[in-house]
Amino acid sequence: LDPRYKTSANNRGLIHRDRGDAEKAIADFTLAIEADRSYYDAIMNRAATRTNYGMQLDTSGKREQASQVWSDALKDYNSCGGLRPADPQLYANRGILLAFIGLLDRSEADLSHAIELDATSYAAFAQRASVRLALDRYDESASDAETALRLAPPDWYGRDSVKRVLDAAKGHKP
């Protein structure tokens, strides 16, 4: 692909992703990346699409295929670290992926780094609350959930799920 058309390939990938065709989206993001190996947005888009596609595969019982897709997503996120090491979204997204694949300590570290870079990231606080709940660190989980609810807009779609995490964390207190 001519490097002049990398943005077109990336945008076409976004359209495919929004229409629910992850495989076509990943193919278009890959074209954009092949045109410019340092095209950060295309790499992040491919990684996020792979993460979500892996969730779909896992939900439909295709665990082995999901694991491979998640492995590829992790490689994408890792390659982004050298391009924009101060992007909190990179660490938040990778932290979410690491939680999906069961690497909770690494997930917590990435989510904590995302929060260090952007202390207003209610999504990172919410995800870290879930990870800390899974790690049986109830007080920290409750604190993160409360922070997420305080920072998030009133109409945020994740509010109910964070409230469930908060209730679960508080339910484990002595």
Side-chain angles (χ1 to χ4, degrees), residues 128-143:
R128 190 173 73 175
S130 294
V131 168
R132 286 178 165 175
L133 180 65
L135 291 169
D136 298 331
R137 293 177 34 208
Y138 305 114
D139 289 339
E140 292 169 290
S141 174
S143 176

Side-chain angles (χ1 to χ4, degrees), residues 147-170:
T147 301
L149 292 170
R150 183 175 39 78
L151 292 172
D155 61 345
W156 179 48
Y157 70 91
R159 190 169 282 283
D160 288 341
S161 114
V162 174
K163 286 179 182 176
R164 285 190 297 274
V165 169
L166 179 58
D167 290 343
K170 285 187 172 182

Side-chain angles (χ1 to χ4, degrees), residues 2 5 13 20-21 52 55 64 71 80 95 103 106 108 151-152 159:
D2 186 317
Y5 300 111
D21 193 338
N52 292 331
M55 289 172 41
E64 188 172 317
S71 175
C80 285
L103 300 173
R106 287 182 55 196
E108 182 189 22
L151 292 172
R159 190 169 282 283

Side-chain angles (χ1 to χ4, degrees), residues 94-104 106-107 111 127 131:
R94 189 172 64 187
I96 291 168
L97 171 62
L98 290 166
F100 287 149
I101 59 179
L103 300 173
L104 298 179
R106 287 182 55 196
S107 172
L111 293 162
Q127 186 61 41
V131 168

